[in-house]
Amino acid sequence: MNGTAFDPAGRSIRSIRLFPLPPVDATMPLTDALRVLLDQNVPAALVRLQGTVIGILSERSAVGACLGADASRLTARDACLLNPPVCGPDTELREAYRLLVRHDSRDLLVCEADGRPTGLVAESDILSALGMEHYAHLDQVGQVMSLRPRSVTETASTEDALRVMRRHDIGSVVVVTDQWPVGIVTFHDLSPRVARGERLHELPVTDVMVRDPITIAPHTSVWEASQIMHRARIRHLPVVHHDRLVGMLAEHDIVTSLEGRYVAFLREIIVEQERELIAQQVHIARRESEESLRRIIDASPDMVIVKDPQGCWQIANRAALELFGLDHDACHGRAEEAFADRVPQPRREALLRYAAASRHAWQSPDGLRHSDRVPAAEGADVHVEFIEKPMFGADGAPSMLVTLGRDITDRVRAEDAVRALNASLEERVAQRTRELRATLAELETFNYSISHDLSTPLRAIDGFSGIVMQDYADQLDPQALEYLRRVRDASRRMARMIDDLLDLSRHSRKPLERSPLDLSAMARSVADELVHGDPGRQAHIHVEPGIEAEGDPGLLRTVLQNLLGNAWKFTRPQACADIRFSMRRRQGERIFTVSDNGVGFDAAHAAHLFVPFQRYHAEEDFEGSGIGLSTVQRIISRHGGRIWAESAPGQGCSFHFTLG
């Protein structure tokens, strides 16, 4: 991966060329609307219904709507894309790209602050502005092209071609004769036909295809391919090798490969989305008006109340109002004492108890959970569980108090029934335990079955690739041999990953069998295995004597095998490896440490070390699947402990862990 700086700071949508969007009425015949696109040479049009924009109409959506339907009977509304993602002209490029990722879209509708649409911007244009120079560092077309090009024969109908494009969500299909591309059909090619009212199912594909399409070879650079597309104003290139079609390169394939250059940026988007999900209600309360929030939470069967620091009700959904027999006007902007007289006497006492609990909740930063009985209108009591969470500003000042209330009447009645049937509880638990064990046994059998089913074809791929490399080496050029070598390496990596994932699952399910352990003896045993397996290494392994602990012998041996094995592996470049296993006490806690003088890593990436398949070093430098440390973390966590790492590039590293 190229390390060119990624810094689009300060750039906005205004720096990108926008496609103008002519308006069409939602009731306009589809053929007329599509003719507007063709006449004005634009990729899409705004679809309006009674003056309001309801979506956009593109050639792709228009032609796709004609599959199995008569275009003459369709309107622009039938084929438009509803509610496209929207941004403003001053939206920063990174935020625009986040919108594309969130909505899984390839285009953004650009609108002014007053909501007036001004144009359309494409995903490829945004990524180009973010750093299209990365194309120059992609090796070959063969690395990014679609390996399964979709094709039809010359005897196919146009509707057959369109059906293939719709089924596989692609923008083109290749027409082949004897595996050689003789034509190509895109949505853009079909648009004029639909605009003229022609019936696609009556047209042979040879009437609409572009004959003798431009083709490229797999070894062509991606940069050169993108230049060919730009000069020819096309978005799809068939890839041929040895007189046959082997792939299809689309503009979106190049865009997707470019996304790989921004892995850190994409991770940032994922983290932001997780944060938004965790605090969704709070974000909505800060971002939207009270009326907008009420529409969202009113549908909830649980009661929701938001108060300001003075205890005044700012938001209350329908369930909360019905619980206490209130209306919105009576309580909005007021505290309970100010409107308690409007509540019937039995409920009034419950309301005042809730008010007292809310005042106490402000003194509980982690939130307050309590339950109460509230008399219902029909006379029966409703059991309610309240969860009250105070929110504070950055300066520590109170901001709001959020209350969630759930009707747990059925649960309370069920608990009463359980207590009444306590005599049969033991048998019920035993039955559920048997069912759970049976389910776990089935799951383990399934895991091993999947492992076998996946491993068998992988072994076949590796074996047959090796046979081809050995028996036909003199008939293959160096590039073909290199491709076969990559296939074998990839199959072996996947086999290791399957084995490691099964180990991770097995270690997560294995019951803990705690017993006193001599960790020093266990570490020396693991160290002896490492030295015996690589006797030529110059290494000094020091194990502090007398380190004892309590835990599962098999699982903790796996921990030491992974940590000492990593130290052994990452000290390989050193003339003499120095590996140590020690223990120290800090504030009454025993901390076990495995340290080395290996290559180390940037401590800023330490949190990612324990995520499955996350690797800091390239596999060609140090082998491994990225599962070992995830397994270690799960074992340590099951023992009630924690694990962390300290390191710096070129200065070795230390892994510290506790056992609870």
Side-chain angles (χ1 to χ4, degrees):
M1 182 179 295
N2 180 265
T4 303
F6 174 54
D7 185 19
R11 301 190 62 190
S12 67
I13 291 296
R14 292 188 187 276
S15 64
I16 302 178
R17 173 178 62 95
L18 300 182
F19 293 107
L21 294 176
V24 298
D25 192 86
T27 60
M28 177 183 290
L30 179 59
T31 53
D32 294 345
L34 189 54
R35 196 173 295 115
V36 172
L37 270 65
L38 297 173
D39 292 344
Q40 300 192 28
N41 192 27
V42 292
L46 288 173
V47 180
R48 295 181 180 271
L49 180 64
Q50 298 179 352
T52 301
V53 175
I54 64 171
I56 59 175
L57 176 73
S58 67
E59 291 182 347
R60 185 166 185 163
S61 66
V63 176
C66 296
L67 182 61
D70 186 352
S72 63
R73 297 178 179 272
L74 299 177
T75 65
R77 183 177 186 175
D78 297 325
C80 76
L81 300 172
L82 301 175
N83 302 318
V86 178
C87 72
D90 294 319
T91 300
E92 198 264 336
L93 291 180
R94 289 164 60 101
E95 179 60 28
Y97 189 69
R98 290 188 182 97
L99 289 173
L100 286 174
V101 173
R102 291 171 185 165
H103 293 275
D104 191 23
S105 175
R106 298 183 185 178
D107 300 289
L108 278 178
L109 180 62
V110 183
C111 296
E112 296 291 349
D114 58 3
R116 177 171 50 87
T118 59
L120 192 74
V121 62
E123 174 189 52
S124 57
D125 293 330
I126 293 176
L127 284 175
S128 296
L130 289 175
M132 193 66 80
E133 71 278 1
H134 286 283
Y135 283 163
H137 304 291
L138 298 177
D139 293 332
Q140 296 176 345
V141 165
Q143 294 176 293
V144 301
M145 70 181 184
S146 299
L147 295 176
R148 298 184 62 187
R150 304 299 174 180
S151 62
V152 296
T153 64
E154 290 182 287
T155 61
S157 69
T158 299
E159 189 169 21
D160 292 336
L162 178 57
R163 186 172 287 106
V164 172
M165 295 160 67
R166 286 291 301 277
R167 183 185 307 124
H168 299 286
D169 191 25
I170 54 178
S172 67
V173 67
V174 184
V175 183
V176 298
T177 299
D178 297 331
Q179 297 301 314
W180 179 259
V182 297
I184 188 169
V185 179
T186 68
F187 284 106
H188 183 68
D189 301 323
L190 299 177
S191 298
R193 303 285 184 156
V194 176
R196 291 197 294 268
E198 299 182 27
R199 299 178 182 273
L200 297 183
H201 67 276
E202 297 176 354
L203 297 175
V205 73
T206 52
D207 283 4
V208 299
M209 72 180 187
V210 176
R211 296 181 179 273
D212 300 323
I214 300 173
T215 62
I216 55 174
H219 60 265
T220 305
S221 73
V222 175
W223 174 258
E224 181 180 351
S226 66
Q227 294 302 300
I228 293 174
M229 288 182 178
H230 179 72
R231 289 193 297 268
R233 295 185 178 181
I234 56 178
R235 295 185 176 183
H236 307 85
L237 285 173
V239 184
V240 296
H241 186 60
H242 292 323
D243 297 329
R244 65 189 300 271
L245 180 69
V246 297
M248 171 64 75
L249 180 70
E251 182 183 54
H252 188 66
D253 295 326
I254 300 178
V255 169
T256 302
S257 68
L258 182 61
E259 290 175 355
R261 270 59 182 171
Y262 305 110
V263 172
F265 177 38
L266 294 177
R267 286 177 181 163
E268 176 187 335
I269 294 176
I270 294 173
V271 170
E272 290 180 1
Q273 289 175 320
E274 290 177 347
R275 291 172 179 169
E276 290 174 1
L277 290 174
I278 293 173
Q280 183 179 14
Q281 286 189 338
V282 176
H283 283 312
I284 292 174
R286 293 174 178 174
R287 199 169 54 237
E288 301 293 338
S289 65
E290 176 184 337
E291 187 60 31
S292 297
L293 182 58
R294 181 179 292 111
R295 287 199 301 269
I296 295 173
I297 65 176
D298 261 359
S300 172
D302 296 334
M303 62 163 284
V304 179
I305 299 174
V306 178
K307 301 181 183 180
D308 62 18
Q310 288 71 45
C312 299
W313 290 30
Q314 301 301 319
I315 298 174
N317 69 345
R318 184 181 296 108
L321 297 176
E322 291 177 352
L323 178 68
F324 293 113
L326 293 165
D327 59 70
H328 179 265
D329 293 338
C331 60
H332 180 66
R334 307 170 70 189
E336 288 85 356
E337 291 78 6
F339 57 81
D341 58 343
R342 300 193 182 188
V343 179
Q345 179 60 37
R347 297 193 198 179
R348 184 184 308 163
E349 296 177 1
L351 177 68
L352 295 177
R353 289 196 299 271
Y354 161 64
S358 294
R359 290 190 291 271
H360 180 62
W362 282 109
Q363 311 303 319
S364 306
D366 293 333
L368 177 66
R369 183 188 295 263
H370 61 96
S371 59
D372 198 1
R373 291 190 302 176
V374 180
E378 58 273 16
D381 288 344
V382 177
H383 295 265
V384 182
E385 181 179 57
F386 297 94
I387 300 176
E388 303 193 56
K389 176 68 176 177
M391 309 298 292
F392 300 90
D395 58 355
S399 175
M400 67 181 73
L401 181 69
V402 180
T403 300
L404 301 179
R406 171 161 295 183
D407 183 347
I408 59 170
T409 303
D410 291 340
R411 192 182 80 188
V412 171
R413 291 172 180 170
E415 290 172 352
D416 292 340
V418 169
R419 282 190 291 270
L421 298 174
N422 189 54
S424 63
L425 177 61
E426 184 175 349
E427 175 57 30
R428 293 187 182 185
V429 172
Q431 176 64 25
R432 295 293 174 87
T433 302
R434 289 192 294 269
E435 294 174 355
L436 179 59
R437 287 174 177 171
T439 301
L440 290 176
E442 292 176 1
L443 178 60
E444 185 169 356
T445 301
F446 175 75
N447 283 343
Y448 279 102
S449 175
I450 287 296
S451 171
H452 179 271
D453 292 344
L454 291 178
S455 298
T456 300
L458 284 175
R459 287 194 297 269
I461 292 172
D462 182 50
F464 283 115
S465 299
I467 292 173
V468 173
M469 293 182 68
Q470 181 176 352
D471 295 349
Y472 299 93
D474 57 345
Q475 301 178 33
L476 300 174
D477 57 37
Q479 187 178 47
L481 290 173
E482 174 61 16
Y483 287 162
L484 285 173
R485 185 190 65 77
R486 292 186 182 183
V487 169
R488 297 193 72 191
D489 289 345
S491 66
R492 291 170 179 171
R493 286 197 303 272
M494 187 171 181
R496 289 197 301 270
M497 290 168 65
I498 292 172
D499 293 339
D500 289 343
L501 282 173
L502 285 174
D503 286 341
L504 178 61
S505 175
R506 186 161 49 249
H507 288 131
S508 299
R509 298 193 310 271
K510 180 182 180 299
L512 284 178
E513 300 177 359
R514 291 182 176 271
S515 62
L517 300 174
D518 185 344
L519 289 186
S520 295
M522 187 180 292
R524 282 194 294 270
S525 174
V526 173
D528 290 342
E529 293 175 0
L530 294 172
V531 173
H532 180 73
D534 191 0
R537 285 279 300 274
Q538 294 293 323
H540 173 70
I541 303 180
H542 175 74
V543 177
E544 181 180 314
I547 300 178
E548 297 181 348
E550 183 177 290
D552 186 287
L555 295 181
L556 290 184
R557 185 176 182 85
T558 298
V559 169
L560 292 177
Q561 285 174 333
N562 275 282
L563 295 181
L564 290 172
N566 277 354
W568 183 264
K569 175 169 58 177
F570 291 111
T571 56
R572 191 177 300 137
Q574 303 297 332
C576 181
D578 184 10
I579 302 172
R580 297 177 178 272
F581 176 57
S582 59
M583 188 271 289
R584 72 180 189 274
R585 294 182 181 272
R586 184 177 65 186
Q587 297 179 353
E589 183 178 43
R590 293 189 300 171
I591 300 175
F592 307 91
T593 300
V594 175
S595 60
D596 61 64
N597 64 335
V599 296
F601 57 87
D602 188 344
H605 301 283
H608 300 294
L609 294 175
F610 303 101
V611 179
F613 302 120
Q614 295 294 313
R615 291 174 51 85
Y616 182 80
H617 300 283
E619 185 166 358
E620 54 267 23
D621 296 331
F622 298 98
E623 72 281 356
S625 63
I627 291 292
L629 288 178
S630 301
T631 302
V632 168
Q633 186 186 47
R634 291 198 182 184
I635 293 174
I636 296 300
S637 178
R638 293 189 64 195
H639 281 78
R642 55 194 175 91
I643 183 170
W644 67 98
E646 296 176 348
S647 181
Q651 300 181 23
C653 68
S654 297
F655 282 91
H656 311 282
F657 65 92
T658 66
L659 293 175

